[in-house]
């Protein structure tokens, strides 16, 4: 008897296709809930919410709820409403994020705050957040409500933590991991964990799915951070250099700063404080993250969390769902290459 | 046998003192929950939240939960946590409101958005909102969760409705009542209703307390609207003319516009669109709301809702709690005189 060992270097060209295919039918039902529950008598609400919700997101978090439910052979329908709730929480945070960052582009489209203004984005975010809780209340599980209200509080704390770290070069890797653990990974973890709750599985399986989602979320975010220093606009729908020009202390910057010589540190400090945003500055930044191996090692960190995500699934039996969830991790960490 | 008929003109100098005295012990316990649960490892959160929460609010909504529980002779402790939750929802909406309106003063103090910036106010609002739901989940009543998540969605809808009505003179009384019914009265209603839920009273008593809170909320808001056209800074901690200068179509304006001659309407339209914000303009506005009896009739409308609030308590037995709740209504409508 031999165990199946999933290693991150397994597939040459991993994609999200297996997961998309696995949950396609369920995702249609989730989308129907989303469309139905973003309606309101106030026309601006579905108009603004629809711009973002229909705007080309991957539905990563609801897909994780659905795939996790598949992994557990759950045959009910409760996860459709809850996956929609998770997507509403995510959409609300994106709306508020774009206000906080003053962003004007998301997923290659103009942001809602640019089109309708900050006040509308704040308030429609609040509406979607309330709707998310209404959906959970309709489901009726206090355990799910506890998981998602807890995740929401942690996300908000992470956002405030990030805000107080803004434009500071000296935040360090540990605090940065705290921030993305709260901002990004907490909802990935909750999205997976609630599938175990609706499937009425033991705490150990809840914890395993939580760990899968949490580590995947961190890996996703770290690869996003790395991509900002290697991709070009054509490939990712996100301009390389956005984080740099916005003065974000992401892990590539934190590592390059820590490993740099005194001149490099002067440069990074000025850049993060907003005084180095020309194209030449970004080219210099790219050169520094390369020479210090800061991007390579950001991706190495991502692979570490990706492998932990895969190993968290170890106790679940083999099958299409598990394969798709493993490949999603491979995809997450391979996007940068 | 003769019934006690409560009529709004009962007391010459009503105040909130009876209610404050009635709930003082409970309110200390609520304040302890509030103080405990606004804490976070991220120092900006308690700092910013504390500015507003400690900043001289009347705690009207938690007091309503506590007084309603007294009215029902509830002897448990669940309402302390839930009253704190209600105050967190209210505080979150105030933080977001001030961002939306770009306000720089609230309760005579500088607003959080002025001191810490809009991003911090948005995110700490989100945190308090999440905390509110965590408190409800700890209480564990799905019925309370349904009432407060529903109220939150209605508040957000009302805010968006108000936003799309901003700087428009032609919104009309009905739509205005819809807006304040959602923005202000929904949380007053929910704050009262949840007391009946924790006291395990029949639906009719829930509905009666809901009606009390809802009508009181509308009365409160209408009197606030009237005060903006009659008070001076010394008496209310709120500058007369704030609504006027911010171009808010409140009921005094809506009535004065509807009753005005063509010249008056030209003036009001320009004022609400932001082209008449000098002191002379405000003096002219005062003259118009007086000559059209628009303020008097706004106050008459407030008395109508106030009387409905009092009558909603009709089926509850006499006692200190009922007296205090009646006097709170009298106070709400008498503040303008």
């Amino acid at each position: 008897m031999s165990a199946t060992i999933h290693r991150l270097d397994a597939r040459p060209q991993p994609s999200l296709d297996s997961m998309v295919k696995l949950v396609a039918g369920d995702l249609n039902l989730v989308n129907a809930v989303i469309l139905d529950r973003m309606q309101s008598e106030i026309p601006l609400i579905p108009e603004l919410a629809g711009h973002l919700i229909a705007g080309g997101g991957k539905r990563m978090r609801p897909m994780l709820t659905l795939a996790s439910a598949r992994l557990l052979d759950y045959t009910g329908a409760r996860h459709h409403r809850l996956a929609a709730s998770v997507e509403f929480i995510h959409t609300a945070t994106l709306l508020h994020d774009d206000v906080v960052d003053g962003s004007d582009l998301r997923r290659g489209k103009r942001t809602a705050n640019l089109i309708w203004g900050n006040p509308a984005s704040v308030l429609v975010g609040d509406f979607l957040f309330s709707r998310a809780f209404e959906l959970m209340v309709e489901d009726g599980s206090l355990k799910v409500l506890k998981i998602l209200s807890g995740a929401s509080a942690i996300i908000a704390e992470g956002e405030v933590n990030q805000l107080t770290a803004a434009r500071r070069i000296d935040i360090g890797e540990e605090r940065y991991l705290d921030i993305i653990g709260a901002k990004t990974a907490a909802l990935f973890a909750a999205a997976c964990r609630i599938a175990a709750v609706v499937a009425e599985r033991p705490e150990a399986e809840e914890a395993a799915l939580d760990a899968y989602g949490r580590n995947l979320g961190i890996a996703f975010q770290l690869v996003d951070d790395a991509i900002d220093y290697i991709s070009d606009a054509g490939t990712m729908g996100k301009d390389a250099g956005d984080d740099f020009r916005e003065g974000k202390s992401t892990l590539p910057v934190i590592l390059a700063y820590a490993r740099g010589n005194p001149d490099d540190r002067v440069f990074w400090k000025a850049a993060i404080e907003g005084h180095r945003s020309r194209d030449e500055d970004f080219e210099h930044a790219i050169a520094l993250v390369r020479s210090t191996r800061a991007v390579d090692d950001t991706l190495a960190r991502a692979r570490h969390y990706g492998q932990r995500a895969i190993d968290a699934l170890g106790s679940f039996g083999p099958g299409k769902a598990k394969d798709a969830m493993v490949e999603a991790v491979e995809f997450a960490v391979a996007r940068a290459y």
Side-chain angles (χ1 to χ4, degrees), chain A residues 38-305:
Chain A
M38 70 185 215
Q39 297 309 312
S40 160
E41 283 175 21
I42 315 300
L44 177 56
I45 290 176
E47 197 181 335
L48 191 155
H51 173 77
L52 189 54
I53 287 172
K58 291 187 291 294
R59 299 271 196 279
M60 194 64 214
R61 292 153 194 82
M63 282 209 298
L64 288 173
T65 304
L66 300 173
S68 300
R70 270 301 170 96
L71 181 74
L72 304 173
D73 294 321
Y74 173 67
T75 53
R78 287 173 56 195
H79 57 329
H80 300 139
R81 190 144 55 183
L82 294 176
S85 174
V86 167
E87 186 69 0
F88 277 169
I89 292 175
H90 176 56
T91 307
T93 63
L94 292 186
L95 285 172
H96 287 185
D97 260 6
D98 284 341
V99 168
V100 165
D101 291 345
S103 308
D104 42 25
L105 273 183
R106 173 171 296 277
R107 299 169 186 162
K109 290 175 66 175
R110 299 203 304 153
T111 54
N113 50 304
L114 191 73
I115 301 174
W116 290 280
N118 285 342
S121 284
V122 170
L123 298 175
V124 174
D126 289 349
F127 173 79
L128 291 175
F129 199 58
S130 301
R131 261 296 138 84
F133 278 91
E134 289 193 299
L135 284 163
M136 289 176 236
V137 171
E138 285 170 28
D139 173 68
S141 161
L142 279 168
K143 202 164 177 186
V144 168
L145 275 156
K146 184 175 161 66
I147 291 164
L148 286 173
S149 61
S152 298
I154 286 167
I155 292 167
E157 272 186 312
E159 302 265 9
V160 178
N161 194 1
Q162 184 176 53
L163 186 69
T164 57
R167 301 236 171 246
R168 282 177 49 189
I169 187 62
D170 60 343
I171 68 166
E173 180 167 355
E174 302 309 314
R175 181 165 177 196
Y176 184 68
L177 288 173
D178 283 348
I179 291 172
I180 67 173
K183 265 201 63 168
T184 306
L187 194 56
F188 272 66
C192 297
R193 180 185 274 267
I194 59 175
V197 176
V198 298
E200 298 176 8
R201 292 308 181 100
E203 167 63 26
E205 295 189 20
E206 266 187 47
L209 283 170
D210 186 293
Y212 168 80
R214 189 172 308 275
N215 285 295
L216 173 59
I218 295 174
F220 242 109
Q221 186 60 55
L222 290 176
V223 174
D224 272 353
D225 294 347
I227 284 172
D228 199 68
Y229 286 88
I230 44 182
S231 78
D232 58 276
T235 51
M236 296 304 300
K238 179 185 172 183
D239 290 335
D242 278 357
D243 291 346
F244 177 77
R245 274 180 284 267
E246 290 166 17
K248 291 192 179 164
S249 276
T250 58
L251 190 56
V253 174
I254 290 166
L255 292 179
Y257 176 79
R259 295 170 179 185
N261 64 36
D263 283 351
D264 298 343
R265 293 193 181 189
V266 169
F267 168 81
W268 283 117
K269 186 166 188 299
I272 294 308
E273 288 173 357
H275 312 302
R276 296 285 183 278
S277 53
R278 297 166 309 167
D279 287 350
E280 308 89 278
D281 295 320
F282 183 52
E283 281 164 30
H284 184 57
I286 297 256
L288 292 180
V289 293
R290 275 198 195 139
S291 64
T292 56
R293 299 190 52 84
V295 165
D296 289 339
D297 284 353
T298 296
L299 293 172
R301 304 282 206 276
R303 283 194 299 276
H304 159 89
Y305 289 103

